[in-house]
Amino acid sequence: MDSNKRPETMERINTEALAQAFIDDQVGRLQGQIGDKKVLLALSGGVDSSVVAALLIKAIGTQLVCVHVNHGLMRKGESQQVIEVFKNQMGANLVYVDAADRFLDKLAGVTAPEQKRKIIGGEFIRVFEEEARKLEGIAFLAQGTIYPDILESHGVKAHHNVGGLPEDMCFELVEPIKLLFKDEVRVVGKALGLPDGMVYRQPFPGPGLGVRCVGAITRDRLEAVRESDAILREEFARAGLDKTVWQYFTVVPDFRSTGVKDGKRSFEWPVIIRAVNTVDAMNATIEQVNWPLLQKITDRITHEVTGVNRVLYDLTPKPTGTIEWE
Ligand code: XMP
């Protein structure tokens, strides 16, 4: 039987009881496959890698080594949440790598979107490889491959980026959720006790805030993206929109405009808000956010975020715009 094909008889996991049965079954299988060996996992904090981490912690405890690479392009509070949930609450064997300077130095002055993506992806593999070489006795590499990855890209999980390890680093793969659809991964994650903020979070691109700091990334403008994104997420959550809107974020372009602040002229960046709905990310429509909420977010961003004097709302559906700005 092809282990990459979902059996037609496999029931859709949509209840706590079915999730629990899946977890019990997988824990047994993982223990059988892994024995007393060690497993390595790149833990980004996204839904898929988080669910794989929680499953493996349940199955083999500290034989799992999680590596969390903070590339400096994470959203506000994200790396801290990974440490809090996995290390502090679940007792995971977690290696935290603060590689922000390394990524930002490599990205300095680079303006082309695909070049930025290449640098971020390439650097990620190098950092992960360095950490893997420091560890002894790793036999397996765990990956958060899910069924759509297998259907769409023949099993290569592009945004996990660990597929590019050099040939001498030969690990056997552990992919416990490879036959699950995204909604099932979330049900399993919930049953494993992961927080809602992790289980139901919106899609976040591998290159992180790097593709939302348009053009050459500078540290101050990146902070403006991170802080404005945090305000948008907070206000959307307060209004209940975090449960209904598919993806929402802020973008800071690399130009300034004139404004007035505290009775003086300012020359600062605009923040662009984007909030879209879609089924498959191929086409997207714009969320019709109510006016008072937009005004409140504008007020907060222009007062709380350093270097920003305007807020714009992107009304462009996909097509003609893509969801991200780069
Ligand atoms: P676009 O901008 O192409 O985005 O309309 C469609 C969806 O894909 C996400 N996206 C990415 N995800 N690496 C990722 O892992 C990337 O380089 C990347 N670029 C876009 C985007 O956030 C949206 O959900």
Side-chain angles (χ1 to χ4, degrees):
M1 198 186 76
D2 180 0
S3 69
N4 278 347
K5 192 164 173 353
R6 186 174 163 118
E8 272 164 30
T9 50
M10 186 168 156
E11 209 171 344
R12 192 86 175 189
I13 301 170
N14 53 13
T15 64
E16 162 99 34
L18 286 170
Q20 213 53 61
F22 172 84
I23 293 166
D24 293 343
D25 178 57
Q26 277 303 323
V27 165
R29 281 171 195 266
L30 289 167
Q31 287 168 341
Q33 182 187 5
I34 297 159
D36 59 1
K37 304 219 170 70
K38 282 194 198 158
V39 182
L40 182 63
L41 169 73
L43 175 59
S44 66
V47 188
D48 306 335
S49 65
S50 295
V51 169
V52 168
L55 260 178
L56 280 160
I57 290 166
K58 206 173 166 68
I60 57 162
T62 50
Q63 282 165 252
L64 172 72
V65 184
C66 302
V67 175
H68 176 72
V69 178
N70 179 357
H71 51 24
L73 306 165
M74 308 289 285
R75 289 175 290 197
K76 191 173 180 176
E78 232 168 2
S79 287
Q80 289 91 323
Q81 190 189 33
V82 169
I83 295 170
E84 173 56 28
V85 170
F86 290 100
K87 196 180 179 110
N88 300 350
Q89 294 175 19
M90 294 191 177
N93 191 351
L94 174 74
V95 179
Y96 170 73
V97 190
D98 181 355
D101 284 341
R102 207 169 142 164
F103 278 81
L104 296 181
D105 288 350
K106 275 249 152 66
L107 285 163
V110 180
T111 53
E114 288 318 311
Q115 186 63 18
K116 286 166 72 175
R117 277 188 173 76
K118 246 174 123 169
I119 290 172
I120 296 166
E123 201 56 20
F124 183 91
I125 291 170
R126 269 187 292 278
V127 173
F128 188 70
E129 180 193 336
E130 282 171 24
E131 292 306 317
R133 287 197 193 281
K134 289 183 202 161
L135 300 164
E136 299 212 333
I138 301 285
F140 295 92
L141 181 71
Q143 291 204 137
T145 311
I146 66 172
Y147 205 44
D149 300 324
I150 290 181
L151 296 178
E152 285 159 25
S153 57
H154 310 289
V156 180
K157 182 131 196 173
H159 69 265
H160 270 224
N161 286 331
V162 284
L165 285 174
E167 275 180 18
D168 70 304
M169 302 195 80
C170 183
F171 304 117
E172 196 179 320
L173 284 185
V174 172
E175 298 176 300
I177 57 170
K178 70 176 177 183
L179 296 184
L180 302 192
F181 288 102
K182 196 79 179 190
D183 54 303
E184 299 179 298
V185 177
R186 293 190 207 278
V187 180
V188 170
K190 185 97 180 111
L192 282 163
L194 292 174
D196 281 4
M198 218 166 226
V199 172
Y200 297 110
R201 67 186 220 159
Q202 54 169 322
F204 187 57
L209 300 182
V211 291
R212 297 173 183 171
C213 187
V214 178
I217 298 170
T218 57
R219 286 167 197 253
D220 48 4
R221 207 153 46 82
L222 181 61
E223 269 326 291
V225 180
R226 193 171 353 249
E227 291 298 324
S228 57
D229 173 76
I231 292 171
L232 180 74
R233 285 193 288 139
E234 196 180 308
E235 292 301 331
F236 265 38
R238 201 170 282 165
L241 291 176
D242 57 330
K243 309 234 163 35
T244 59
V245 181
W246 196 80
Q247 198 171 9
Y248 46 97
F249 54 87
T250 61
V251 174
V252 181
D254 54 350
F255 61 83
R256 299 171 203 244
S257 74
T258 308
V260 196
K261 254 189 190 175
D262 305 323
K264 285 194 283 257
R265 292 228 155 212
S266 65
F267 190 56
E268 297 177 310
W269 304 300
V271 161
I272 298 152
I273 297 173
R274 189 138 176 80
V276 300
N277 292 306
T278 177
V279 175
D280 55 8
M282 301 299 287
N283 294 276
T285 56
I286 301 307
E287 171 73 14
Q288 296 190 20
V289 180
N290 77 59
W291 207 249
L293 178 60
L294 278 178
Q295 281 171 323
K296 185 176 177 201
I297 295 169
T298 301
D299 192 55
R300 281 198 61 193
I301 290 176
T302 49
H303 285 92
E304 295 174 35
V305 182
T306 306
V308 171
N309 63 0
R310 278 177 204 274
V311 173
L312 315 174
Y313 192 68
D314 185 350
L315 291 173
T316 322
K318 176 179 180 177
T320 55
T322 46
I323 293 176
E324 301 290 345
W325 266 54
E326 285 195 332

